[in-house]
Amino acid sequence: MRIEVGVATDIGKVREGNEDSFLVQPPLFAVADGMGGHRGGEVASQLALEVIETLAARGKGSLADQVREANRRVFDRSLKDRNVTGMGTTLTAALIGPGTATLAHVGDSRAYLLRAGALRRLTEDHTLVARMIKTGEITAAEAEVHPHRNVLTRALGTEPDVGVDEQDVPLMDGDTVVLCSDGLTGMVNEPQIQAILEANDSPQVAADRLIKAANGAGGIDNITVLVLRISDEAAGGDLTGVGQSSSSSQVSAPVRRLFGRALVWIPIALVLLAAGVFSARAYVDRQWYVGVANQHVAVFQGIPASPAGLHLSHVVFESNISSTDAADLPLYSNIGEGISAQGRDDAFAIVDQIRKDIVGAKAGGTGLGGSG
Ligand code: MG
């Protein structure tokens, strides 16, 4: 079996750094889309891929095992290093074997299969809107414009353990497998992706054109695309290594979720501007707190108030911690009203503290936590 590889990553048109990473170590391929303030996203995506690269080279465990180990490593690092507290990453990996692609997946990067004129999505997004579509709360069309469409329900490195979707996909001669970050799929729809893949035989040209299309549509996020053309001939790919475009990464701003945030704020900004409160939006935008979303402890950006029915905050991260468990502890009894944080990192640190305090309380501890 022959794998012809095309790969490209781009900062996009808006972001100040590229927090996406990719791995090309035939027959193993992966993309990772990091999140977390400051250096966090970049560190998370790169570390996760380095871990699976190392474990794969040693032949340790299944691909999903390697991803679970990567989760632990990123999580441990985020606890130890204050500069990257709360970081996380998506990870979508494909191990190409004879006649089969083994996939392991966490988050909202995606894998696609193009075969005989049909593009099929192989992965399920671990996002709030994907869950809302499943429960029938919203339609797929509504999800595309939902202000919270980029909020992840599962990421690698944000919890001690993570569920990894794994599957084996039978491969045929002439198949094309695509791995990509949401910087592509958020800007370019599936028919367009298919058209570009079909118009360009060279996987590298196809990858470059897909990046160009995403940038042409606005390039609001970092974009990473891996295109694998599978054929029955002998030989294999020749590229190798963990890649990440060089970038200046000192910029503050919650880098990963700007897309969702920008849309949430458009109507609010208009109202505030109309009221002559020019600095209000910037002020609100800098505020962070820990509150409750879907009965879970969650990190919010904004302020926990809704004057005149305006929502001045949005969920950045929903943990798997029960808000009832948190509210049962005296320290967090007012979590429903929002616990203010000094910033994004502080908000994630508070969530970690709540988790520890709940574990401590259940183990018969004091039930009192640190200040966060
Ligand atoms: Mg992204």
Side-chain angles (χ1 to χ4, degrees):
M1 172 166 292
R2 181 182 154 83
I3 311 164
E4 210 188 330
V5 184
V7 64
T9 187
D10 193 82
I11 191 170
K13 299 270 193 201
V14 175
R15 298 302 178 82
E16 311 247 3
N18 190 348
E19 306 195 348
D20 285 1
S21 295
F22 63 82
L23 173 66
V24 175
Q25 189 188 35
L28 176 61
F29 305 89
V31 299
D33 178 351
M35 60 181 186
H38 307 284
R39 293 199 60 231
E42 200 179 316
V43 171
S45 64
Q46 197 139 20
L47 175 60
L49 293 184
E50 282 166 7
V51 170
I52 65 167
E53 181 185 27
T54 306
L55 295 176
R58 288 191 210 142
K60 279 212 152 183
S62 70
L63 182 58
D65 289 338
Q66 293 160 7
V67 173
R68 282 186 280 269
E69 179 59 24
N71 177 72
R72 279 186 284 274
R73 293 276 301 276
V74 174
F75 183 70
D76 286 351
R77 175 79 178 272
S78 79
L79 293 183
K80 281 179 195 145
D81 183 350
R82 290 185 65 90
N83 294 321
V84 296
T85 301
M87 70 175 172
T89 183
T90 73
L91 201 159
T92 301
L95 179 66
I96 311 291
T100 307
T102 298
L103 300 181
H105 164 74
V106 177
D108 67 350
S109 296
R110 289 180 182 174
Y112 286 96
L113 175 67
L114 176 68
R115 174 184 295 165
L119 184 72
R120 181 157 66 97
R121 195 195 300 178
L122 301 173
T123 49
E124 185 179 304
D125 292 345
H126 299 139
T127 57
L128 207 54
V129 291
R131 194 156 76 187
M132 289 164 82
I133 292 171
K134 259 188 168 175
T135 58
E137 284 172 74
I138 58 171
T139 65
E142 285 165 344
E144 279 181 24
V145 293
H146 196 281
H148 296 164
R149 67 186 172 285
N150 292 325
V151 174
L152 295 177
T153 51
R154 230 194 273 179
L156 194 144
T158 58
E159 311 274 343
D161 293 298
V162 69
V164 178
D165 289 354
E166 39 183 328
Q167 61 172 317
D168 285 336
V169 179
L171 289 180
M172 291 169 61
D173 183 37
D175 279 351
T176 300
V177 174
V178 176
L179 306 181
C180 61
S181 64
D182 69 334
L184 175 69
T185 50
M187 308 305 306
V188 185
N189 67 30
E190 291 174 358
Q192 289 172 298
I193 292 173
Q194 180 174 347
I196 291 168
L197 290 170
E198 288 175 339
N200 299 283
D201 281 342
S202 154
Q204 186 58 51
V205 173
D208 291 339
R209 294 277 158 82
L210 287 167
I211 299 266
K212 202 175 167 193
N215 275 326
I220 281 172
D221 197 359
N222 306 145
I223 313 142
T224 300
V225 184
L226 243 158
V227 179
L228 309 173
R229 300 272 197 211
I230 313 292
S231 59
D232 276 344
E233 300 159 48
D238 56 351
L239 288 161
T240 189
V242 173
Q244 185 177 52
S245 72
S246 59
S247 60
S248 64
S249 58
Q250 70 205 45
V251 184
S252 57
V255 231
R256 169 147 162 72
R257 297 300 165 205
L258 189 62
F259 194 7
R261 190 184 61 155
L263 291 184
V264 176
W265 284 107
I266 288 166
I268 298 163
L270 290 176
V271 169
L272 294 174
L273 284 172
V277 191
F278 286 90
S279 62
R281 178 193 172 276
Y283 169 78
V284 169
D285 218 10
R286 282 197 304 273
Q287 308 308 307
W288 293 81
Y289 70 96
V290 175
V292 175
N294 301 311
Q295 286 86 53
H296 292 121
V297 174
V299 171
F300 290 77
Q301 184 177 20
I303 53 176
S306 302
L310 285 171
H311 292 291
L312 296 181
S313 68
H314 67 277
V315 179
V316 171
F317 171 71
E318 184 185 325
S319 77
N320 61 0
I321 305 170
S322 153
S323 57
T324 314
D325 286 354
D328 283 345
L329 299 180
L331 199 57
Y332 309 117
S333 59
N334 63 342
I335 190 166
E337 295 143 45
I339 299 168
S340 67
Q342 304 284 313
R344 181 192 175 101
D345 291 354
D346 191 40
F348 277 94
I350 290 170
V351 173
D352 282 339
Q353 191 61 54
I354 291 172
R355 182 192 312 284
K356 284 175 199 151
D357 290 348
I358 289 171
V359 171
K362 283 184 175 166
T366 63
L368 292 173
S371 62

